[in-house]
Amino acid sequence: MDSQTSQPSQASPSPHTFQVDLRGLVDLLSHHLYSSPKVYLRELLQNAVDAITARRAEQPDAPATVRLYAEGGTLRVEDSGVGLTESDVHNLLATIGRSSKRNDGLESARSDFLGQFGIGLLACFVVAERIRVVSRSARTPDAAPVEWTAADDGSYTVRTLPHEARTEPGTTVHLVARAGAGEWLSEERVRSLARDFGALLPYDVRVGDEPIADLPAPWDRPYPSPTTRRVALARHCHDLFGFTPLDSIDLDVPLAGIRGVAYVLPSAVSPAQRASHRVHLKGMLLTERAEQLLPDWAFFVRCVLDTDSLRPTASRESLYEDETLAAVREALGERIRSWLTGLAAGDPERLAAFLSVHHLGVKSLARHDAEMLRTMLPWLPFETTDGPLSLEEFAQRHPVVHFTRTVEEYRQVAPIASAQGVGVVNGGYTYDSELIEALPAVRPGTVVSELDADTVTAHLDAVDPDEELALSAFLGAARARLDPLGCDVVLRAFHPLSVPALHLDDRAARHEQARAEAEEQADDLWAGILGSLRGSTPRARLVLNHLNPLIRRISSLRDPDLIGTATESLYGQALLMAQRPLRPADSALLNRAFIGLLEWATHTDPGKDDRR
């Protein structure tokens, strides 16, 4: 032997086995892995169904029954599954994390099982202080029945029983409720949970004598007519989700082993609200809060489906994000997209009813999908100066599709632009400006242009030069008063006559205004930096309507102070009409103008009559 290998420091350390604190592990399961103690019943049903599946893989004609009996804080679950031998009990039930699905060459059939993680009966300790399992193996008919009894302190015993203790293959699980958990083992609660988890299970599952399964699933049942089917699915949706849907969409993806239905919500919801869907895995309810099942744009539906391909997380209460789920999400999104296209082609009334509630969701889809935008162009509603119209109809009416990016800009110009024959679309709502800008791509030849203050002003009639020259003193006083606010004053003639003044600006003007305000409040260093950013951006404009009688009277004033007060009043009124948010300087101006007008109106000094 080499002398170096004989040194103690080089000796291999002896391996040790992890010691598991079962109570601590149960606390971890109940507070962090599982959302509710109710999952204990799913684990029991799951183990029973998997045991039956394993037996039928070898004995196709074997019975397939699960019976649950609840009474006085105890629960008994009997199944006709594959059963266990004493060796199985030691290897499977008493070893945390080991799954029976990996035993006896069943790995190839693993996709037929619900469970994937071997946690099994451990979850029952969330509600039970003691678990007793009596089982007889179908694979080893001569083996005696075996009993495994475990307590929540981590101890367990195993013993064989006389053959007459259980004459048929299968397993019986007995639970005794822990203190304070008796309600979870009551017959009413067990029946409710069994119905919730096991309604689509393919085997004969009963609580007492009452069947739990409700097969075939509502979307797979034969109906005498499409109307009857629609009514039945609407009733199913109301029972399941609590609302009567606008419509139902079949979700059939054979390659992914998915069958189900999506229900269209009858009222609008926020796109930011995460939709929750019900997903069954091989008939067993996996989760009722699946959020990542559909594309984000499909927030207007709630769906329920059964699958045999999606992978659950460790808690079996949500779906594992992998390539399969991504492919399923895309396929389900395509089903919903096809439904929308079908409505557009053959059922415009139902499409109009849907869009009146969920146009935002369709717009979200259309901005990323040119084909969907092309399909929905005749149907999607937009706010325009011609009233609510689709982009298709608006583009047919106007050679140039002018739009604003904000609601405030639209409110500024809509009345005036409409009177001048300029069509404008309000692009300030969610997704609208993106869709308007995408219009030329799906409707070749369409001209789209963002509306700005220069465009609006250009469509207003100029005042006769001689008349404007005669009002130069008035305009000079008005401009001097609004110059500190970063606003110019121009005189135009436009309709409607009832509008005395129009406040026009655009994003560039507002940016320049914000920069100037920041420069005034900054220290020398920042003032210099902000000053260097000053551009040649046009300023905001107060457009006075020369056709308005009030403007004609104000323009005849001779007192510069009174002209300034009147101009400030017109400026404030124009801001309010445009529903623009007021800056502190604007609010101060409104107050000052209001007080000034009151003082002027109540002045009684006859020597000041020449102010009129």
Side-chain angles (χ1 to χ4, degrees):
M1 179 180 296
D2 191 290
S3 60
Q4 291 184 347
T5 61
S6 64
Q7 295 177 7
S9 61
Q10 298 296 323
S12 300
S14 299
H16 297 279
T17 302
F18 283 106
Q19 302 298 311
V20 177
D21 180 354
L22 187 57
R23 286 179 174 169
L25 186 57
V26 169
D27 180 74
L28 180 66
L29 292 177
S30 60
H31 289 93
H32 300 283
L33 184 61
Y34 295 130
S35 62
S36 166
K38 69 180 182 181
V39 297
Y40 88 90
L41 193 70
R42 184 195 62 199
E43 295 291 344
L44 289 173
L45 286 175
Q46 179 175 283
N47 287 342
V49 169
D50 283 347
I52 294 172
T53 301
R55 184 176 181 184
R56 283 203 156 184
E58 302 173 5
Q59 304 173 22
D61 296 330
T65 61
V66 181
R67 299 290 182 266
L68 297 91
Y69 304 95
E71 183 179 3
T74 64
L75 175 64
R76 185 172 85 255
V77 181
E78 301 176 351
D79 70 66
S80 59
V82 70
L84 302 170
T85 63
E86 182 177 357
S87 176
D88 293 334
V89 167
H90 284 289
N91 289 333
L92 303 175
L93 297 187
T95 305
I96 295 173
R98 181 172 296 175
S99 172
S100 61
K101 289 72 175 179
R102 292 190 288 269
N103 194 43
D104 295 329
L106 288 179
E107 180 70 25
S108 61
R110 188 174 183 179
S111 63
D112 295 330
F113 296 98
L114 301 175
Q116 297 286 326
F117 299 95
I119 295 175
L121 290 175
L122 192 61
C124 293
F125 280 121
V126 173
V127 298
E129 66 177 10
R130 189 168 71 256
I131 303 174
R132 176 171 170 261
V133 178
V134 176
S135 187
R136 183 162 189 165
S137 174
R139 295 189 183 124
T140 313
D142 296 336
V146 61
E147 176 191 72
W148 176 81
T149 304
D152 61 1
D153 62 1
S155 62
Y156 73 93
T157 61
V158 178
R159 65 185 181 119
T160 57
L161 301 177
H163 284 272
E164 58 270 17
R166 185 178 180 98
T167 58
E168 297 295 328
T171 301
T172 301
V173 179
H174 303 261
L175 301 186
V176 177
R178 63 168 59 247
E183 192 270 338
W184 288 102
L185 270 61
S186 67
E187 183 176 10
E188 181 179 358
R189 177 58 70 91
V190 169
R191 181 182 297 108
S192 174
L193 293 178
R195 284 175 177 166
D196 201 31
F197 285 120
L200 300 184
L201 288 174
Y203 302 138
D204 181 11
V205 181
R206 299 172 184 253
V207 175
D209 295 327
E210 183 177 339
I212 294 304
D214 187 21
L215 295 175
W219 51 84
D220 285 329
R221 296 173 189 169
Y223 296 97
S225 68
T227 300
T228 306
R229 184 176 191 272
R230 188 177 297 118
V231 171
L233 289 178
R235 187 181 306 113
H236 174 250
C237 175
H238 189 274
D239 293 341
L240 204 61
F241 294 114
F243 65 85
T244 300
L246 283 178
D247 206 348
S248 57
I249 308 168
D250 286 323
L251 302 178
D252 184 8
V253 187
L255 293 179
I258 286 178
R259 287 283 297 157
V261 62
Y263 293 116
V264 181
L265 291 166
S267 56
V269 294
S270 168
Q273 179 178 331
R274 300 295 295 180
S276 297
H277 311 287
R278 289 176 64 93
V279 177
H280 295 255
L281 180 61
K282 302 179 184 69
M284 181 76 74
L285 178 65
L286 178 71
T287 178
E288 53 191 355
R289 297 189 304 275
E291 295 183 348
Q292 68 273 49
L293 188 64
L294 297 181
D296 290 340
W297 56 260
F299 56 83
F300 50 83
V301 299
R302 298 291 181 270
C303 66
V304 52
L305 55 83
D306 188 25
T307 176
D308 58 16
S309 64
L310 297 180
R311 178 183 170 191
T313 58
S315 66
R316 290 193 288 275
E317 293 186 286
S318 59
L319 298 172
Y320 189 84
E321 186 67 50
D322 56 11
E323 293 181 358
T324 301
L325 179 57
V328 165
R329 183 162 48 236
E330 183 176 350
L332 294 180
E334 183 58 37
R335 293 294 183 273
I336 298 173
R337 184 185 289 106
S338 298
W339 170 78
L340 283 171
T341 305
L343 288 186
D347 201 338
E349 289 186 3
R350 284 171 66 196
L351 178 63
F354 166 76
L355 288 178
S356 67
V357 178
H358 296 298
H359 59 274
L360 196 60
V362 179
K363 287 180 177 180
S364 174
L365 170 60
R367 66 194 177 116
H368 296 302
D369 190 324
E371 186 58 37
M372 180 56 62
L373 177 58
R374 187 178 291 107
T375 301
M376 291 291 114
L377 268 181
W379 309 102
L380 288 175
F382 287 78
E383 182 180 0
T384 79
T385 49
D386 293 352
L389 291 177
S390 69
L391 287 181
E392 175 69 25
E393 187 174 358
F394 187 86
Q396 290 173 359
R397 296 186 182 186
H398 298 276
V400 178
V401 178
H402 290 289
F403 74 98
T404 63
R405 290 191 182 276
T406 68
V407 174
E408 290 78 10
E409 290 174 358
Y410 178 80
R411 288 170 178 166
Q412 287 182 71
V413 303
I416 308 303
S418 179
Q420 311 308 312
V422 180
V424 183
V425 182
N426 185 355
Y429 296 115
T430 306
Y431 309 133
D432 282 8
S433 61
E434 297 175 70
L435 294 177
I436 297 168
E437 290 181 302
L439 191 56
V442 297
R443 196 178 188 275
T446 303
V447 179
V448 173
S449 175
E450 183 177 355
L451 190 69
D452 56 23
D454 287 336
T455 303
V456 177
T457 306
H459 281 81
L460 304 181
D461 294 333
V463 178
D464 182 87
D466 291 336
E467 292 188 50
E468 188 167 1
L469 181 61
L471 298 176
S472 58
F474 161 75
L475 292 174
R479 288 166 181 156
R481 183 59 63 94
L482 294 187
D483 183 69
L485 296 172
C487 183
D488 290 333
V489 177
V490 296
L491 188 66
R492 293 288 187 274
F494 57 86
H495 294 271
L497 299 181
S498 58
V499 178
L502 174 66
H503 181 272
L504 291 178
D505 67 357
D506 51 29
R507 287 180 300 159
R510 288 196 293 274
H511 291 165
E512 173 62 19
Q513 191 176 63
R515 185 209 60 77
E517 291 176 355
E519 182 180 357
E520 289 180 3
Q521 300 173 6
D523 56 27
D524 292 342
L525 173 62
W526 283 108
I529 294 174
L530 292 169
S532 68
L533 298 177
R534 183 184 300 111
S536 59
T537 305
R539 304 204 303 170
R541 300 169 199 175
L542 182 67
V543 184
L544 303 181
N545 187 359
H546 188 54
L547 300 180
N548 180 266
L550 176 62
I551 296 299
R552 285 185 173 273
R553 289 196 296 271
I554 293 176
S555 64
S556 66
L557 295 173
R558 295 186 298 276
D559 186 337
D561 289 336
L562 185 54
I563 292 174
T565 300
T567 304
E568 289 178 337
S569 300
L570 290 170
Y571 174 83
Q573 187 263 354
L575 285 180
L576 294 175
M577 290 299 294
Q579 301 183 41
R580 288 286 307 278
L582 299 180
R583 301 169 296 162
D586 297 330
S587 299
L589 174 144
L590 279 172
N591 291 331
R592 183 171 66 248
F594 178 71
I595 297 300
L597 288 176
L598 283 179
E599 289 180 347
W600 176 79
T602 58
H603 202 284
T604 58
D605 186 351
K608 298 295 184 181
D609 286 347
D610 60 344
R611 297 173 64 185
R612 296 180 181 273

